[in-house]
Amino acid sequence: MPKMKTNSGAKKRFSFTGTGRIRRKKAFASHILTKKSPKRKRNLRSSTLVDTVDVPRIKKLI
C-alpha cells in the first residue's frame, strides 16, 4: 500500500517545536487592519501552539 501524502496546506501552516508540539500562526491578521487596535495587531503577530484537541487531526495531515 502506498504512503500517505502530506497535506500541502498543512505543511505550510504548521511546524513542530523542539519538544514535538505543533506551532501555528494566529488568524485575522492579514487584512482590514485599520479597525483593529495596535495591541490586538501586536498580539496577532506572535505564533501560538495548537490546542491539544486538534493535535491528532493535524498530525494526520502532516
Side-chain angles (χ1 to χ4, degrees):
M1 195 169 156
K3 293 179 182 176
M4 287 268 298
K5 281 191 177 180
T6 301
N7 184 294
S8 296
K11 182 173 55 177
K12 293 165 192 170
R13 288 175 172 83
F14 301 104
S15 63
F16 286 93
T17 62
T19 55
R21 298 170 87 182
I22 303 175
R23 189 184 298 124
R24 69 172 176 87
K25 295 277 190 172
K26 291 180 183 171
F28 309 111
S30 58
H31 64 104
I32 317 176
L33 298 170
T34 49
K35 62 174 78 170
K36 294 171 188 158
S37 68
K39 180 181 178 180
R40 186 172 163 197
K41 288 188 276 188
R42 192 165 57 246
N43 287 331
L44 289 171
R45 274 201 297 260
S46 61
S47 62
T48 185
L49 295 172
V50 170
D51 198 64
T52 51
V53 179
D54 300 320
V55 167
R57 198 156 44 101
I58 290 161
K59 277 190 176 173
K60 198 178 285 185
L61 293 173
I62 295 177

